[in-house]
């Protein structure tokens, strides 16, 4: 890789880290209080049962408590609360989506089962933990 391109790549990575560091207190603050307001509410849907590679490079599995979200970083841990029956599940973001209008999260089969629904349901999300990002390495 050309030295100039490598320098640009490292600069972009540093900017991403700075942005994440600035946003982290805002994103995590509600999850740190007992009576915290949800970070996001809307419709949840269920992933298909087919196993395929996700945007993060992991394979989807109906047996893992995973989900797709449009913007949360891969590896983010999210508590999903079913507003229709009071059940909760903690999932890890491994993919992008959902792409259907009005939906905020796609859940694995096992996560939907734990939440007690099979098609669509109203949920609220609480961000529990953002993934740790290591230092940027320069070559």
């Amino acid at each position: 890789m050309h030295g100039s391109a490598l320098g640009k790549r490292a600069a972009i990575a540093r900017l991403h880290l700075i942005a994440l560091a600035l946003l982290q207190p805002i994103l995590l603050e509600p999850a740190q209080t007992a009576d915290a307001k949800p970070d996001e509410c809307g419709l949840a849907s269920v992933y298909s049962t087919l196993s395929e590679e996700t945007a993060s490079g992991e394979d989807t599995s109906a047996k893992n408590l995973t989900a797709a979200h449009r913007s949360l970083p891969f590896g983010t841990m999210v508590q999903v609360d079913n507003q229709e029956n009071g059940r909760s599940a903690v999932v890890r973001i491994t993919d992008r989506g959902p792409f259907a209008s009005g939906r905020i999260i796609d859940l694995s089969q096992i996560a939907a089962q734990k939440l007690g629904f099979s098609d669509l349901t109203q949920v609220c999300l609480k961000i529990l933990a953002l993934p740790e990002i290591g230092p940027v390495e320069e070559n």
Side-chain angles (χ1 to χ4, degrees):
M1 189 177 277
H2 189 265
S4 173
L6 191 60
K8 286 180 185 178
R9 187 171 155 205
I12 291 170
R14 277 193 291 277
L15 287 174
H16 285 147
L17 286 173
I18 291 167
L20 184 58
L22 292 172
L23 287 174
Q24 195 164 11
I26 296 167
L27 293 173
L28 290 180
E29 191 248 319
Q32 295 170 351
T33 59
D35 56 348
K37 292 182 180 177
D39 293 304
E40 185 176 12
C41 293
L43 273 179
S45 51
V46 185
Y47 266 134
S48 71
T49 56
L50 298 175
S51 180
E52 54 188 48
E53 189 174 311
T54 65
S56 67
E58 294 182 40
D59 286 336
T60 59
S61 172
K63 298 177 184 178
N64 294 333
L65 291 169
T66 57
H69 190 275
R70 286 186 189 95
S71 59
L72 289 173
F74 297 134
T76 299
M77 300 301 290
V78 178
Q79 178 178 318
V80 182
D81 298 320
N82 185 333
Q83 299 302 289
E84 296 177 15
N85 64 17
R87 293 170 128 185
S88 294
V90 175
V91 298
R92 186 170 52 88
I93 302 300
T94 61
D95 202 4
R96 290 290 169 239
F99 299 108
S101 178
R103 299 180 191 178
I104 62 168
I105 194 164
D106 272 333
L107 298 163
S108 66
Q109 294 283 323
I110 193 74
Q113 183 178 43
K114 189 169 180 170
L115 288 165
F117 79 101
S118 60
D119 186 31
L120 297 172
T121 194
Q122 286 290 325
V123 298
C124 286
L125 310 180
K126 292 180 195 161
I127 298 169
L128 300 178
L130 292 170
E132 289 188 30
I133 299 177
V136 177
E137 293 183 24
E138 291 189 38
N139 293 330

